[in-house]
Amino acid sequence: MIRKLHFLWLIPVALAVWAGAARQRPRANLAVDRPAVERQFREGVLPVLREHCWDCHGDSESKGGVNFDRHTNLVAVLGDRGTWERVLQTVRSGEMPPKKRKVQPTAQERSHLAGWIDRTLFPVDPDRPDPGRVTLRRLNRVEYNHTVRDLVGVDFEPAADFPQDDVGYGFDNIGDVLSTPPMLLEKYLQAAEDILDRGIVSGPIPPRTTRFAPSRIEGHAGSGALATLSTRGEMSVAYPAPVGGDYLFRVQAYGDQAGDEKVQMALRADGRELEQIEVRRGRGNPKLHEHRVRLEAGTHRLSVAFLNDFYRETELVRTNARGKTFKEKKIEDRNLQVEFIEVKGPYSDEVPPLHAMHRRIFFRQPSPGTTNRVAREIVQRFTDRAFRRPATTAEIDRLMTLFARAQGEGEGFEGSVKQVLTAVLVSPQFLYRGEPQADPDDPGAIHRVSEHALASRLSYFLWSTMPDEELFTLARKGRLRRNLGSQVRRMLADPRSRALVDNFAGQWLQLRTLDIVAPDDRLFPDFDPPLRAALRAETEAFFEHILRKDRPITEFLTADYTFANDRLARHYGLRDLPAPLGASSFEKVSLAGTGRRGVLTHGSVLTLTSNPNRTSPVKRGKWILENILASPPPPPPPGVPALESKETHGTLRQRMDAHRDNPMCASCHAKMDPLGFAFEHFDAVGRYREQDGDAPVETRGELVSGERFSDHQELSRVLSEARQADFIRCLSEKVLTYALGRGLEYYDRPALAAIEARVRQRGLRFSALIEAVVDSVPFQYRRGDGDPVLNAWKD
């Protein structure tokens, strides 16, 4: 019965609207002179479109996916602002109409068209800025794990088995894409029970299943969905057994079969061999292997070993259909592939000792006649922190009915409270980040978010977790806003701000992709797991240094230093270091004389923007446009062949030039390719080179904006100086998107301009960027749902 009651708390998720007091700003009313705007459209906009655009985008033509046939009245235009935003960008940049057209619109026509689109479809009033609205969003997996850690003091990963979070606008904390599939609801209940079973002692622990995906298994060479052992060795997990007892050690595996033997696998616990198993099944047909093992309380190393490696290359001579012979290499390679490791248990009647979490929750014990009062105090304190705001009397009353029911069914005090707290952990107020909002359906009503909502915005932005006691106290006293600057500085100095490295930098710079990139091991045999880890650790240490030391953000592009261990130093060819480097610790080293500067020459970025067998100027250029210049190219048009399918010869640059002969490719590749070719001195795993095969590397280029450069060093100077404003805008957009949990819109332009101005005033310091985002209107305020522009036209 209690299990079903827990799910009742999830029903309101789809309907939940947090009500409460909020300080209101003036309404964001937009004045519209409808007759004048319609006249301007008929007389000044449509004629320009028909003369210069209709050949490609009218009369059923829709090149690039744009067609104006139905955009002949203002209602249709307002209903498709996404298309008109693209029109605005291409008209302003001069990309459209194409340069090859003999008849071009005059400068006055361009200005009039762009101005009308901007004023009509994307109006901005700097005096009454629109803060936008963030979709009610759930905690993502990282936020859930960190919140549980800080709420109850249990440092494990209960969200490890949750479905992967969807990504929007480059980040996995975007409300519009964080859906709640039915499977996740079941996972929430299981996780809540696991969390409380670990800390609250109310009797023997019931058996629970802990699954370790490949990302949580150590010692293997696989990536993605498989943990791979390609040579003799072992992979392992650390399992904390809560009490002494029996546990089921399970491994789902199959073998890449080769040679005369089947794959041989051994299961081990703390170095002690438990069982040898013949893995008879092959690729795509895994089997779950199980062994029952006795474990005492404490952390144990459970291992899976591969015992009989086999590798053989054979050269075969074959004949094709034309009778010509050719040589073919046959490779036989025996490997062990593991999909997951699982432990289920304990099977024991032993009652565990009191956990620190138990004492933290049960800060008071009842005496005769005080059971309900003490239980209510415990539930109130826990729920206030779980909801990230004071729980209402009605909410606590509802929870206490679960306590009374459990007591009536004979449950003890701790067990009854445990059932209530389980309900708290599956409630929408815990799983979702809700904010008090009056007039939730009125896009013209703008409100300052409450102090508790501001505390949550701040803590999830900088720490990816719930507010700490200091933030809670300031919010409760109504003093957080007046102490915001000092709190931001305190939080950036706190070790928990490492979350910005892992979650913001990891996604802005796409470092998480390093886990799945797979350079060709025949061409790059030295690319091994230690090097993969070192490449990522370098960039993370570099970002953290800029954060901790409050360095100028332009050092992301210009820094003449990096962080390296011995493995990375050898990969880069770093010599004359002041002291030997270790295998694990990363030390700050000079890059003087190496040709490397900033993140654009980090091996992590160079590797993840390459193909498995060669560099990719297109991927590198696209990466720079998206993550440095805030100018992402559109998707490639349909039907354009890939570079590899063209029968062209010569250097990579010559083949790319041939690829650009296709007029559909030329405009975008003119933006991407010069940026990517500037880094051709670095191969597909980030090593420096002078030759591409037998030909010298060609790195000269010119941006579409006219800046010329001879190599990556000159390009880095161009990006940090001539295009510095673009980089500041790009990083500001990325940080604001991550902080808000939503994509940016046209009405965010005043906020971005204010952020950029403040960053410049403060010497481009990293802390200035963070503080400017926290002080911005979109971070401090919110409005009701809806479209203010469409509302203005309806009025």
Side-chain angles (χ1 to χ4, degrees), residues 19-188:
R23 180 177 172 183
Q24 185 169 346
R25 283 169 57 94
R27 293 173 55 82
N29 293 325
L30 297 171
V32 175
D33 185 348
R34 186 165 189 158
V37 173
E38 290 178 331
R39 184 175 63 254
Q40 293 164 5
F41 178 69
R42 289 192 310 271
E43 299 175 1
V45 175
L46 269 180
V48 174
L49 295 178
R50 288 195 169 107
E51 181 176 356
H52 299 287
C53 308
W54 230 251
D55 288 349
C56 298
H57 306 290
D59 296 331
S60 301
E61 293 289 334
S62 56
K63 289 188 176 179
V66 175
N67 177 269
F68 293 127
D69 282 346
R70 63 186 182 86
H71 293 169
T72 54
N73 62 78
L74 205 51
V75 174
V77 169
L78 289 167
D80 191 10
R81 283 192 293 174
T83 293
W84 286 89
E85 187 171 15
R86 291 175 60 189
V87 173
L88 179 63
Q89 293 170 349
T90 55
V91 169
R92 279 181 168 167
S93 67
E95 294 176 48
M96 291 291 167
K99 300 291 186 187
K100 65 181 180 179
R101 285 182 61 92
K102 293 182 180 180
V103 179
Q104 292 282 328
T106 65
Q108 183 178 2
E109 287 174 326
R110 284 185 183 275
S111 176
H112 182 271
L113 176 59
W116 183 89
I117 295 172
D118 208 14
R119 290 190 305 274
T120 306
L121 275 72
F122 309 108
V124 171
D125 183 353
D127 295 328
R128 291 181 176 178
D130 182 351
R133 179 183 180 277
V134 179
T135 302
L136 177 70
R137 64 187 178 92
R138 64 171 173 82
L139 303 179
N140 66 20
R141 298 199 312 166
V142 169
E143 292 168 340
Y144 184 95
N145 283 334
H146 289 184
T147 301
V148 167
R149 175 199 67 196
D150 294 338
L151 175 65
V152 301
V154 176
D155 194 6
F156 77 115
E157 297 183 346
D161 293 334
F162 290 4
Q164 288 289 334
D165 296 313
D166 291 324
V167 174
Y169 305 98
F171 298 102
D172 63 4
N173 66 342
I174 304 300
D176 286 337
V177 301
L178 283 172
S179 59
T180 308
M183 180 178 69
L184 185 56
L185 303 184
E186 181 70 27
K187 295 285 188 182
Y188 280 145

Side-chain angles (χ1 to χ4, degrees), residues 93 95 99 625 629 631 666-675 701-709 723:
S93 67
E95 294 176 48
K99 300 291 186 187
L625 287 174
L629 296 176
S631 181
S667 61
C668 290
H669 280 276
K671 291 181 177 181
M672 295 186 290
D673 293 0
L675 294 166
E702 180 179 353
L703 303 184
V704 291
S705 49
E707 297 89 349
R708 296 181 178 180
F709 50 86
R723 303 294 296 274

Side-chain angles (χ1 to χ4, degrees), residues 448-465:
R448 176 181 281 179
V449 300
S450 71
E451 292 258 317
H452 281 94
L454 181 61
S456 282
R457 286 191 172 197
L458 193 59
S459 64
Y460 282 101
F461 171 30
L462 300 182
W463 289 346
S464 296
T465 189

Side-chain angles (χ1 to χ4, degrees), residues 639-716:
V640 177
L643 177 64
E644 290 79 5
S645 67
K646 287 191 168 265
E647 294 185 3
T648 55
H649 303 283
T651 66
L652 177 60
R653 184 150 199 160
Q654 290 168 341
R655 287 182 282 147
M656 288 299 303
D657 288 342
H659 191 66
R660 284 197 301 275
D661 287 344
N662 188 327
M664 291 191 296
C665 305
S667 61
C668 290
H669 280 276
K671 291 181 177 181
M672 295 186 290
D673 293 0
L675 294 166
F677 276 117
F679 293 89
E680 276 296 284
H681 273 304
F682 301 96
D683 70 8
V685 293
R687 294 177 303 193
Y688 189 83
R689 64 181 182 175
E690 293 288 349
Q691 298 281 122
D692 177 11
D694 297 328
V697 167
E698 301 174 73
T699 58
R700 293 182 180 276
E702 180 179 353
L703 303 184
V704 291
S705 49
E707 297 89 349
R708 296 181 178 180
F709 50 86
S710 62
D711 59 14
H712 63 280
Q713 296 185 73
E714 289 191 7
L715 175 59
S716 293

Side-chain angles (χ1 to χ4, degrees), residues 169-171 173-174 461 504 507-510 623 625-630 632 727-740 742 744 752 769 773:
Y169 305 98
F171 298 102
N173 66 342
I174 304 300
F461 171 30
F504 172 72
Q507 294 182 87
W508 165 43
L509 300 174
Q510 300 175 10
W623 190 95
L625 287 174
E626 291 176 340
N627 299 293
I628 302 298
L629 296 176
F727 174 63
I728 295 173
R729 184 181 75 255
C730 181
L731 188 53
S732 299
E733 288 180 2
K734 297 287 185 182
V735 174
L736 186 58
T737 298
Y738 178 79
L740 296 177
R742 67 166 173 85
L744 302 188
L752 284 169
L769 173 59
V773 166

